[in-house]
Amino acid sequence: MSDLWTRMRTTVIAIGLASIVGILLLLAAGANPFEAFGIIIDGSLGNTARIGDTLMVWAPLLLAAAGLLITFAAGLWNIGVEGQIVAGAIAASLIAREMSGPTWLIVFVSLLAGLFGGAVWAILAGLLRTYGKVNEIFGGLGLFFVAQGLAIFLVFGPWKREGIASASGTDPFPRESWLPTIGSNRVSLVAVAVAAASVVFVYYLLRGTQFGLRLKAVGSNMRSAFILGIPTGRYMLAAFGLGGALAGLAGAIQVTGFHHKLIPQPSGGYGFLAILVAMLAGYAARWIAPIAFVFAVLAVGSTLLPLKLGLDSSVGGVLQGALVLFVVLAQGWQARRKHLAVDIGGPPEAVVPGEAH
């Protein structure tokens, strides 16, 4: 319990410092900080339409972050999550463009295709890591550029708009392939439900299953896990596959629920942002939903800053970065204090059998 309170206190201090940096930044830009924060809140939560837009940013971000927790648990830095989002978006776009039938069936198959596309792309990075001894960071980033190049090729090549290729993307998908929405709002309950279910799935997978326990064993000490009889290669590939599947779902939601077409950069940077969300959550599934929501509020609300205050919309990204930076610094300081306390206090006393209480 004391450890929990210490972590909470550290996080509160880090958030306070990040807020101070944000205020100073806004003052330096000649803006009223309170007015700027008010615009961000109003721009993301001011009415039902804006709340819907925020939720449609929150859903893919949450899916990508949930998938990353699985690979992080296995001790793998799945930096290629951006490429897995793009691969899922391309696979879902193929179904949305070519398949005909009732909306529920097209949507289901599109999401399934996105899941499959992301999983395959992640497993490729896993195969490079497991059998090719290629670090997953380099393999994942390389595959990201391949996926990104493929998306650009499709947008300006085989899937280009009628008569002209445009950076705005392909022609819109048929209405039957769009995720169903609530009234005239952009928000889709399907996207929100899928994202929320992914968090519950990851939480119980890592905490309540033998698979999750073995996955953590692989991440803690791969050599020891192998000696104990855990097939580390298969578990690493499974972690990549599951994490990539959730990232692929994020890509499918992007193209079928938000853009309604394939664009040159369908990932929207959510993969890299999801890494920050996972780090800020301390790699704990129970915290990623609220933290991802805060990031979504900043991402959506900051788009109004250029219109209302003449500020660059990147201010929101700077605030996100400052928040992560201070939390990571605070966590490092806390870990160093704990390490120094152990060094100063010496090793714990041995417990003599029969004397333990």
Side-chain angles (χ1 to χ4, degrees):
M1 196 66 183
S2 144
D3 207 33
L4 175 62
W5 282 113
T6 302
R7 286 201 305 270
M8 288 180 63
R9 183 180 61 194
T10 303
T11 302
V12 169
I13 292 172
I15 291 172
L17 290 173
S19 300
I20 292 172
V21 169
I23 290 171
L24 293 175
L25 175 69
L26 291 167
L27 287 173
N32 183 327
F34 297 103
E35 184 182 2
F37 286 127
I39 289 171
I40 289 174
I41 297 299
D42 181 63
S44 56
L45 303 173
N47 55 45
T48 55
R50 291 171 182 174
I51 292 173
D53 288 345
T54 301
L55 288 174
M56 289 306 289
V57 170
W58 175 77
L61 180 57
L62 185 58
L63 278 162
L68 282 169
L69 292 186
I70 300 175
T71 49
F72 285 153
L76 301 165
W77 284 90
N78 186 19
I79 306 300
V81 63
E82 280 274 315
Q84 293 144 34
I85 294 175
V86 176
I90 292 173
S93 297
L94 176 63
I95 298 300
R97 286 173 55 86
E98 303 298 334
M99 185 175 175
S100 59
T103 296
W104 70 267
L105 182 60
I106 300 175
V107 166
F108 175 75
V109 177
S110 295
L111 294 179
L112 198 62
L115 183 149
F116 181 75
V120 168
W121 215 250
I123 288 173
L124 288 176
L127 290 171
L128 288 172
R129 169 68 173 83
T130 306
Y131 298 107
K133 305 304 178 186
V134 177
N135 187 284
E136 67 272 14
I137 295 177
F138 300 115
L141 284 176
L143 286 167
F144 160 60
F145 288 117
V146 173
Q148 186 68 74
L150 179 58
I152 293 172
F153 167 72
L154 290 170
V155 169
F156 288 95
W159 293 354
K160 67 181 180 182
R161 293 177 60 183
E162 189 68 33
I164 185 172
S166 171
S168 64
T170 64
D171 286 319
F173 301 150
R175 293 281 306 193
E176 294 77 18
S177 64
W178 295 13
L179 289 184
T181 57
I182 303 173
S184 59
N185 293 328
R186 249 173 152 174
V187 64
S188 169
L189 287 181
V190 174
V192 173
V194 167
S198 73
V199 178
V200 176
F201 167 73
V202 171
Y203 179 83
Y204 283 105
L205 178 76
L206 297 180
R207 286 181 61 92
T209 66
Q210 186 184 62
F211 175 84
L213 183 62
R214 291 188 170 190
L215 203 62
K216 291 179 181 178
V218 172
S220 298
N221 193 317
M222 187 181 301
R223 184 175 179 81
S224 296
F226 181 77
I227 292 172
L228 290 172
I230 298 175
T232 54
R234 277 189 289 172
Y235 272 82
M236 289 166 63
L237 287 176
F240 269 115
L242 289 171
L246 294 181
L249 272 176
I253 286 174
Q254 278 286 89
V255 294
T256 60
F258 194 79
H259 299 295
H260 304 131
K261 58 184 176 181
L262 181 66
I263 62 173
Q265 294 182 319
S267 63
Y270 292 154
F272 296 133
L273 197 57
I275 296 172
L276 302 183
V277 171
M279 292 175 65
L280 201 57
Y283 310 106
R286 63 181 178 274
W287 295 114
I288 60 172
I291 291 172
F293 188 76
V294 171
F295 274 61
V297 165
L298 289 172
V300 175
S302 62
T303 58
L304 288 182
L305 292 178
L307 298 175
K308 299 291 183 71
L309 297 179
L311 297 175
D312 197 285
S313 60
S314 62
V315 168
V318 174
L319 293 175
Q320 292 170 348
L323 179 60
V324 173
L325 175 63
F326 279 107
V327 168
V328 170
L329 287 175
Q331 289 174 348
W333 174 73
Q334 180 186 336
R336 180 170 174 77
R337 280 190 62 195
K338 188 181 296 185
H339 179 69
L340 287 174
V342 171
D343 284 348
I344 293 170
E349 294 182 358
V351 177
V352 179
E355 293 185 1
H357 297 285

